[in-house]
Amino acid sequence: MRAPTGSRSRWSKKACSFRDAGIDAPIMVLSEPVADAAETVVARGLTPVVYTAAGIDALAKAGAAHDSSEPVAVHLKVDTGMHRVGCPPEAAVELAAHVSERPELRLAGVCTHFAVADELDNPYTDQQRAAFEQVLERMRARGLPTGIVHAANTAGALAVPAGRYDMVRVGIGIYGIAPAPALAGVVDLEPALALKAHVSYVQTLDAGERISYGLRYETSNATRVATVPIGYADGVPRELPHRGGEVLIRGHRLPIAGTVTMDQLMVDAGDVPVEVGDEVVFIGAQGDERITAEDWAARMDTIAYTIVCGIGPRVPRRYA
């Protein structure tokens, strides 16, 4: 959860959605909160990472103003080479000391993030781990607590045993998706997400008819065309049909016909007797067929994470 600069109310709503849902488990904020979000972080019992003196001071001030006998737990984030967020390794010990000097705060952990753990032969991960361990050694030599030490994302958890430390931060693995083709099958991951809709309209078109914006899809024979009320506003890539995108209806793999529109798309069902109300599987299994997020990612030249994260908030979530 990240805090957009200058957007306290919007960030608070996003970051605290789990608390609003009644979840009281520990929740880590993986970027340092902006100063005007510090009070919310403390009040809602979130665990932020820190990597600047200003961020530490803002949280300490919020902690002092909050009526609690417990100090605010924070984790120090060290940038060992990802260069997204985190303090430089050479600044880590002094920042850790700065946290420890504030009675309102408790240094509960130290972390970093691997940039190429999914590239099995890349030595950069070992370099990052060595830099991180040097920081840990310097902190311990100074008598500073390291708390919970963590570095590994899903790829690191699977491929870098020495980088698992005290806990791992599994992301894409929660979906049951391997973080890279090279790591497929390392453990038995079961897909946890399916994307489905239903046919809302069926029509029969003659051969030579063209479909959707740009008229880029032409029917080769007389065919049934099914309309499905889902579009790129829901996370189906606009260009997916032009890269071979398919769906499952009645156990058949059928091509998406023409450009995906904002709220709807069409499917060329051929002579399959589709009807209004039929289930349409975009990601998931139906009969003996399966379409995966990895299939979409391969067609769109991206990673599966962008596919599953792209499914929009207006798509209803049903939990089994």
Side-chain angles (χ1 to χ4, degrees):
M1 293 175 289
R2 297 181 176 83
T5 301
S7 183
R8 177 180 176 180
S9 61
R10 174 178 153 196
W11 178 85
S12 300
K13 181 178 179 181
K14 179 179 179 182
C16 298
S17 59
F18 290 121
R19 291 286 185 254
D20 294 337
I23 296 172
D24 59 5
I27 298 174
M28 179 167 289
V29 183
L30 292 175
S31 289
E32 186 178 83
V34 295
D36 65 355
E39 291 182 8
T40 299
V41 167
V42 173
R44 300 309 297 269
L46 306 177
T47 302
V49 302
V50 295
Y51 38 82
T52 69
I56 292 167
D57 291 341
L59 287 163
K61 180 179 178 181
H66 188 66
D67 185 19
S68 174
S69 59
E70 295 294 324
V72 178
V74 301
H75 287 221
L76 179 67
K77 177 69 176 286
V78 183
D79 178 13
T80 57
M82 176 78 173
H83 300 318
R84 180 171 59 182
V85 293
C87 67
E90 58 270 20
V93 174
E94 290 306 318
L95 285 173
H98 191 49
V99 172
S100 296
E101 290 164 358
R102 304 302 303 254
E104 307 90 349
L105 304 180
R106 176 173 66 90
L107 187 57
V110 184
C111 60
T112 192
H113 193 78
F114 295 139
V116 291
D118 56 342
E119 299 177 15
L120 302 186
D121 297 325
N122 196 321
Y124 196 70
T125 300
D126 287 338
Q127 295 171 26
Q128 284 191 264
R129 192 167 56 83
F132 186 51
E133 291 185 356
Q134 287 175 11
V135 169
L136 298 174
E137 290 173 5
R138 292 198 299 269
M139 287 180 61
R140 290 164 183 151
R142 181 88 168 261
L144 296 166
T146 56
I148 299 171
V149 177
H150 51 110
N153 51 12
T154 298
L158 293 176
V160 190
R164 293 172 187 159
Y165 297 107
D166 298 321
M167 77 174 190
V168 297
R169 304 185 302 267
V170 178
I172 193 66
I174 292 175
Y175 291 94
I177 296 172
L183 292 171
V186 171
V187 295
D188 187 16
L189 295 174
E190 181 178 347
L193 175 147
L195 179 62
K196 302 178 180 180
H198 291 88
V199 173
S200 61
Y201 180 65
V202 178
Q203 59 185 311
T204 300
L205 297 181
D206 293 329
E209 294 290 339
R210 293 192 286 175
I211 297 172
S212 196
Y213 289 127
L215 303 177
R216 295 168 64 182
Y217 186 93
E218 182 174 344
T219 59
S220 57
N221 299 289
T223 187
R224 290 184 180 88
V225 173
T227 299
V228 187
I230 186 172
Y232 59 74
D234 304 297
V236 182
R238 186 174 183 270
E239 290 294 308
L240 182 62
H242 307 305
R243 300 188 183 187
E246 298 173 312
V247 301
L248 304 177
I249 305 178
R250 298 196 174 198
H252 296 271
R253 300 182 75 96
L254 302 172
I256 303 173
T259 303
V260 174
T261 70
M262 183 184 294
D263 305 303
Q264 300 179 94
L265 55 78
M266 282 67 76
V267 177
D268 187 342
D271 58 3
V272 176
V274 299
E275 297 179 356
V276 171
D278 280 350
E279 179 188 74
V280 184
V281 175
F282 289 82
I283 297 174
Q286 189 183 72
D288 296 329
E289 297 286 347
R290 177 180 291 275
I291 295 173
T292 68
E294 293 97 324
D295 293 334
W296 280 27
R299 294 188 187 282
M300 300 306 299
D301 193 26
T302 185
I303 59 173
Y305 221 144
T306 66
I307 299 300
V308 294
C309 288
I311 298 173
R314 68 181 189 174
V315 176
R317 268 66 170 168
R318 297 179 182 176
Y319 303 94

